[in-house]
Amino acid sequence: WKKRTLGAAFAKDIGGLTLRSEAILFGFDEDYNEREDRHHLQAGLGFEYAFSEKLSLIDEFLFIEQGETDRGNYKAHPKSRYTSFLARYYNFIQFKYQLTPFWNVYFSTLQNFIDFSNYAIFKVEHSFNENIELFFDFFAPTGKHEREFSSRAIFFPNGTSIGAPLQIDLGVKFYF
């Protein structure tokens, strides 16, 4: 990288509620390329709470300084090469339920606060051991036409497009 970066993170547990924040500042040096990636900030703020040994909730807000504040300005490629998101503000909410010590189920949503589209996410994971995991993921866009998380993509004259298709994954993860 030719750009300097600066990052910071914070986490604090308060009565069972874990608050956390992290931020990264890209390109704060003097010789950044004005056309490409000027200096910008990405930051997250969230919390995690366990209702019981089996049920927990995560809620995280994401700010991307170079993200768009008007969906009419969406482009096929984000302004920042450090993220694939298009808008400035997002929220991620996830409920995790542990069925057994080896099975977890997740219900989540990723919300775009600029165009009000959502990506609904359902996941099931089975752990065989600490290094092998079976997973099933289901991602469903619920946004209206011409939104970031819609099944209908926006097509541009040069042939590129944006959109979030329905996606189903089944696989095995190996950790080394």
Side-chain angles (χ1 to χ4, degrees):
W1 280 7
K2 293 183 179 181
K3 297 191 176 299
R4 294 181 186 165
T5 57
L6 176 66
F10 167 81
K12 177 72 176 164
D13 186 55
I14 302 172
L17 178 74
T18 302
L19 299 173
R20 61 178 165 247
S21 177
E22 53 190 59
I24 189 163
L25 179 65
F26 296 99
F28 60 92
D29 51 350
E30 295 176 11
D31 59 346
Y32 64 87
N33 181 344
E34 190 71 43
R35 184 186 68 77
E36 193 178 306
D37 288 324
R38 65 176 178 81
H39 65 283
H40 68 280
L41 174 71
Q42 291 183 20
L45 175 66
F47 71 87
E48 183 171 357
Y49 182 75
F51 296 99
S52 68
E53 289 182 15
K54 294 185 176 246
L55 180 64
S56 63
L57 167 68
I58 294 174
D59 189 355
E60 295 190 359
F61 176 79
L62 175 63
F63 168 79
I64 303 170
E65 183 181 14
Q66 283 193 322
E68 297 294 347
T69 56
D70 179 354
R71 71 180 177 91
N73 293 329
Y74 285 173
K75 305 286 187 276
H77 302 288
K79 287 182 179 178
S80 171
R81 68 180 182 186
Y82 305 107
T83 182
S84 60
F85 292 131
L86 302 174
R88 182 167 287 183
Y89 307 108
Y90 293 89
N91 195 59
F92 175 76
I93 299 171
Q94 174 180 274
F95 285 94
K96 174 185 173 187
Y97 186 74
Q98 184 180 37
L99 291 170
T100 73
F102 301 105
W103 286 96
N104 291 314
V105 177
Y106 303 83
F107 298 97
S108 313
T109 182
L110 176 60
Q111 304 157 332
N112 176 322
F113 282 164
I114 299 302
D115 66 20
F116 303 105
S117 62
N118 294 290
Y119 216 6
I121 305 164
F122 172 74
K123 301 175 89 171
V124 178
E125 296 176 345
H126 174 70
S127 177
F128 291 105
N129 60 42
E130 63 185 35
N131 297 322
I132 302 172
E133 192 173 275
L134 175 69
F135 68 91
F136 170 80
D137 299 340
F138 179 81
F139 299 88
T142 61
K144 295 179 181 178
H145 181 62
E146 296 186 351
R147 305 298 200 268
E148 182 174 10
F149 302 130
S150 71
S151 59
R152 296 182 182 164
I154 301 171
F155 295 95
F156 296 95
N158 66 358
T160 59
S161 64
I162 61 170
L166 178 69
Q167 179 178 330
I168 300 172
D169 300 323
L170 177 62
V172 178
K173 293 180 188 176
F174 297 93
Y175 300 97
F176 299 98

